[in-house]
Amino acid sequence: MAMSARPRVLITKRIFPEAVEFLERSFDVDYNGTDRVLPSGELIERARGCQAIVSQLTDRLDAGVIAQLEGVRIIANVAVGYDNIDVAAATARGIAVTNTPGVLTETTADFAFALLMAAARRIPEAHAFVHSGQWRTWIIDLLAGQDVYGATLGIFGFGRIGAAVARRGRGFGMRILYCDEQPAPAEVERELEARRVSKEELLRESDFVSLHVPLTPATRHLISRAELALMKPTAILINTARGPVVDEEALVEALERRIIWAAGLDVFENEPAVHPRLLELPNVVLAPHIASASYATRRRMSMMAAENAAAALSGKRPPNLLNPGVWPAEELP
Ligand code: DGY
C-alpha cells in the first residue's frame, strides 16, 4: 500500500536539534545541518517539493527568490527581524511569513546594556591592557571612561526590546528619552519615567543612544553625518538592531574625529564584513551579531520557528504570522 506523502520542510541552516526533531516527527525534513548559507539557486532547488521553509536572517528571500518557491505555504524566520524577506512579495504569492518575537527581548536587552557598559568603561581596552603586561602602576586617569549611572539614555524604537533596555537603564538611575512613531502606553511611560521626544532632542540630550528599530526603507541610515553631528562629544552609540540603520562610513569618521566618544556595535552594514577602519579604532566595541545568543533564547527561537512552520503545515494559522491577509478566514481558530 502506498504511504501517504507527508508535507516537506526545508531548514536552510543549522538550528537547535530539538526543533529539527520536532519537525521530523510529523514532516519530511531536508535539513542543511551546517552553518553554510545556501546560495539562492541551491535554496530554490532544495525548496522544490517543500511546503515550508525554516529560514535565517542570512537567507536573502527577495522577490526573485520568492517567485520561484512553487508550493511553499510558509517561510518561518528564526529571528524577530525579517528584513531579509520580501514580505510583500510573499503576501502576493499567498505565502505566510513568521518571525520569533518576545522570546529574545530580555536577552537582547542584556546584551545592548553589556555593550553600553563595555564602551562606557572601556572594558575591552582594559582587558587588552592587563593581558599584554602593560600595567605598571595605578594612574589617576588610566582608562577613564564615562559614567553610566545618572546619565541620559536615548532610545530609538520603544517596542519590546527598547523598553527592556530602558528598564535596565532605570536600574542605573538613568533618565530615559525615546523616539518612536507611536507613543508608548501611558503605564509604560510612567513606569520608566520615559519621555517621548523628537529625533533632534534625543540626539542632543542623550549620553547614550541605543537603536531598537526594525530595518525598513524609513530607518535605513537613520543615523548618518547630520545625526552624529548633533550628538554630544562624550556620547556613546549602541547598535543591536540592524547594521544599515547606521551609515557606517559616517560613524567611522565621527569616531575617528571624536565627534562622538565611542560606539558599541553588534550589527554591521555588510555583515560579516566590518568596515576596515572600525577595526583600527580603540573607541569601539565590536560583536558578531550575538545579542540574542544565549543558549536558552536561541533554543526558544529555533522551536518557535519550527512551531510556526508546523502550524501552517497542519492547516492552522501560525501564531507569529506577519502577513495575516494570506491566511484564509475559515482556517482562523
Ligand atoms: C533577530 O532576531 O532579528 C536578531 O537580529 C537575531 O536574534
Side-chain angles (χ1 to χ4, degrees), residues 85-97:
I85 303 170
D86 188 330
V87 179
T91 306
R93 293 185 65 86
I95 300 173
V97 180

Side-chain angles (χ1 to χ4, degrees), residues 110-124 146 148-149 172 208 236 238 285:
D110 280 350
F111 196 80
F113 221 82
L115 278 181
L116 183 156
M117 297 289 290
R121 301 302 307 273
R122 305 174 64 179
I123 292 172
Q146 307 293 344
V148 173
Y149 80 93
F172 281 77
F208 297 88
I236 296 176
I238 305 299
V285 181

Side-chain angles (χ1 to χ4, degrees), residues 64 126 174 188 258 308:
M174 296 175 98
V188 173
R258 292 284 179 166
N308 278 312

Side-chain angles (χ1 to χ4, degrees), residues 57 79-81 104 242 289 292 301:
L57 55 84
V80 68
L104 48 75
R242 283 292 183 267
H289 203 149
S292 67
M301 290 165 67

Side-chain angles (χ1 to χ4, degrees), residues 181 211-223 242-247:
E181 279 174 9
L211 306 176
H212 302 286
V213 292
L215 175 61
T216 66
T219 62
R220 184 172 294 272
H221 286 192
L222 173 73
I223 303 296
R242 283 292 183 267
V245 172
V246 175
D247 176 346

